[in-house]
Amino acid sequence: LLKNFRRRSPSSREGWGYVSNLDLFFTSIYNFYYHRGILPIICNGIVELVSLFFTLWLSVLLFAYVDWSALTTCRDEDTCRAYLGDYFIEHPFAKSSAWNFIVRVYFILFFGYGCLSIASFVTTVGDALEAKDFYENELGISSRRLGGGAVEWDDIVCKIIKLQESGEYRVAIHGQDLNALVVAQRVLRKENFIIAFFNCGILDLRIPLPWPFGVNGHSKGQYLSTNLEWSLHLCVLSYMFNHKYQVRPSFLDESSLKRRFIFCGIAQAVFMPFLLLFMILHFLLLNIYDWRSTKDYMGPRQWSQIARWTFREFNELPHTFERRLAPSYEAADSYLSLFTQNSIITSIGRVIVYISGSLLASLFLLAAIDDSILLHVKVGKWNLLWYVGMLGIAFSVGKSLLPNAEIHKPQFHKNYFADMNSALHRVASHTHHFPDTWKNRAWKRQTHQEFTSMFLYKSQLFIIEVLSVIFAPLVLSVIF
């Protein structure tokens, strides 16, 4: 199916498998294991494509076809139109305007990206079919056993090594003996360089910020977004090796690297408005229902991209890293729960909770009498239902300012400093990240700030993504 990854019957070649690219071969074998078979690969790809094209369709519908000026005049039954279709513009692109031009370019760009995604999906499925054939015919492992978790990656590597040593199925790997380390190095050839970038502190990913928002013209912390990581792959890692995976002599030319960064920065500046539109809409569609149902507007805490690359060890495959990191989330939440706001902030939170809760109870009492009261009775410009939503947000904010009653019990004294040190040690046992400045200083605000800069709320991570898109052209063209 693929010119870079072809396997022929080993019997015709005295046990030699026809593999023209070992990196692609082992990566395809690993991806098949990681996704637990071909069906999850296909399903995940279809979901991503449907999400992409649906978001594109919906965004064009909202940006071009909806008559927002007419919708804003809808106040009551007399001023509103009867059907939703009455608010659609029949031929929105009949008139030329700057906004219509932006929407056209936006559609062309992301439709083209969707077509490339389809081509990538077809290639991925082709790799998965080849891997499925290898698993079933050479390794004797069915997709059902793989999907059920009955087979571990170490078992698969041992089977491949046995086939290599016995001569039943061999691949040409010059100058090396095939072992688990060699396989991992092939799969993670490029990822190991990113790990080295962060371990050695090579990258300066601080966002330019003026005083008083930054220090010495830059943000206090470093920020890595998806688009910046993609730029690193494009400008550095994709250009580093030739077809034999040897470092290109031209790669060592500093001026050539600088030109690639500048070109990538200019491209990101051109596409930035369209990327921001798509990112914001996709994020809202993905999370707005959760916000409404859970009222958790900040979202759960997650490790940032920089934190994940900092925690990652060389030659550590994704499934091993995810298993190691999974218990760290609960341990990190436990550590942060030991911190409380100062007495002033706690007192403000108690006042907000009491006032907003009392007003909400009063409004719910009115709704119990007749729910139409909330719809038709107004205070100022808005009806009472609007105030119910605002008071609910205020109540949630006030609750977030209060300490956890299960941990910080009233009139109960204990050594929280020792608990904090123990909790931070538990986190480090999973992340393998424990700077010297944290030792026996888990209770300090500086340690807390450094920790929370890596363990951020989902909404904070999205804001970082947006800021990175805005500042990426400057970071790539000037700072790098």
Side-chain angles (χ1 to χ4, degrees), residues 391-410:
L391 288 171
I393 294 175
F395 186 84
S396 300
V397 171
K399 289 286 286 184
S400 68
L401 300 179
L402 300 180
N404 190 330
E406 295 182 0
I407 298 175
H408 301 272
K409 297 180 180 180

Side-chain angles (χ1 to χ4, degrees), residues 184-387:
Q185 288 173 336
R186 294 274 182 171
V187 175
L188 301 174
R189 185 186 294 273
K190 295 180 179 179
E191 285 78 0
N192 279 336
F193 278 94
I194 299 182
I195 296 170
F197 291 159
F198 289 99
N199 282 350
C200 300
I202 296 175
L203 298 177
D204 183 6
L205 296 174
R206 294 176 298 169
I207 295 177
L209 289 176
W211 186 88
F213 304 103
V215 178
N216 297 324
H218 293 87
S219 59
K220 294 181 180 179
Q222 300 199 61
Y223 301 97
L224 177 68
S225 62
T226 304
N227 69 311
L228 273 177
E229 190 172 328
W230 174 83
S231 300
L232 287 175
H233 274 275
L234 180 66
C235 298
V236 180
L237 301 179
S238 297
Y239 192 81
M240 182 180 294
F241 303 107
N242 58 21
H243 67 284
K244 295 182 179 179
Y245 288 97
Q246 298 172 340
V247 176
R248 302 174 188 266
S250 58
F251 175 76
L252 304 177
D253 183 7
E254 184 179 347
S255 61
S256 176
L257 178 62
K258 184 66 176 178
R259 284 195 299 270
R260 290 196 298 275
F261 276 131
I262 292 175
F263 177 79
C264 190
I266 294 173
Q268 293 221 24
V270 172
F271 299 139
M272 178 177 61
F274 313 105
L275 185 58
L276 287 175
L277 284 175
F278 188 87
M279 282 176 57
I280 294 172
L281 182 62
H282 184 264
F283 181 79
L284 291 175
L285 293 176
L286 199 62
N287 296 283
I288 196 166
Y289 178 78
D290 291 336
W291 289 343
R292 185 173 180 83
S293 59
T294 64
K295 305 299 182 183
D296 185 7
Y297 299 102
M298 295 299 290
R301 283 187 179 269
Q302 300 172 357
W303 295 113
S304 66
Q305 288 283 84
I306 284 187
R308 294 177 66 87
W309 283 116
T310 303
F311 300 159
R312 189 93 171 258
E313 296 180 352
F314 288 104
N315 303 313
E316 186 175 24
L317 292 165
H319 75 282
T320 307
F321 177 65
E322 290 169 5
R323 288 178 185 175
R324 175 167 65 85
L325 206 61
S328 70
Y329 291 92
E330 183 178 353
D333 285 328
S334 299
Y335 167 67
L336 293 179
S337 66
L338 295 172
F339 287 86
T340 60
Q341 303 286 356
N342 60 47
S343 299
I344 297 176
I345 300 296
T346 301
S347 299
I348 293 174
R350 292 174 61 187
V351 171
I352 293 174
V353 167
Y354 179 75
I355 294 176
S356 60
S358 301
L359 293 175
L360 276 173
S362 303
L363 293 176
F364 289 151
L365 180 61
L366 294 176
I369 298 172
D370 190 341
D371 55 7
S372 61
I373 295 176
L374 299 181
L375 291 174
H376 301 296
V377 177
K378 294 183 178 180
V379 176
K381 296 181 179 180
W382 296 283
N383 59 20
L384 295 180
L385 187 62
W386 182 85
Y387 287 98

Side-chain angles (χ1 to χ4, degrees), residues 79-142:
T79 57
C80 293
R81 299 173 185 176
Y83 300 99
L84 181 63
D86 297 334
Y87 290 99
F88 287 159
I89 302 173
E90 189 172 354
H91 300 291
F93 297 105
K95 296 172 61 177
S96 298
S97 66
W99 179 249
N100 283 345
F101 174 76
I102 292 174
V103 174
R104 282 195 181 99
V105 175
Y106 169 86
F107 175 79
I108 292 172
L109 286 176
F110 283 98
F111 184 79
Y113 174 74
C115 293
L116 292 176
S117 299
I118 292 175
S120 176
F121 172 68
V122 172
T123 302
T124 301
V125 173
D127 288 344
L129 288 172
E130 293 276 2
K132 181 176 183 293
D133 179 58
F134 180 80
Y135 270 87
E136 293 179 349
N137 295 331
E138 304 300 337
L139 301 181
I141 300 174
S142 65

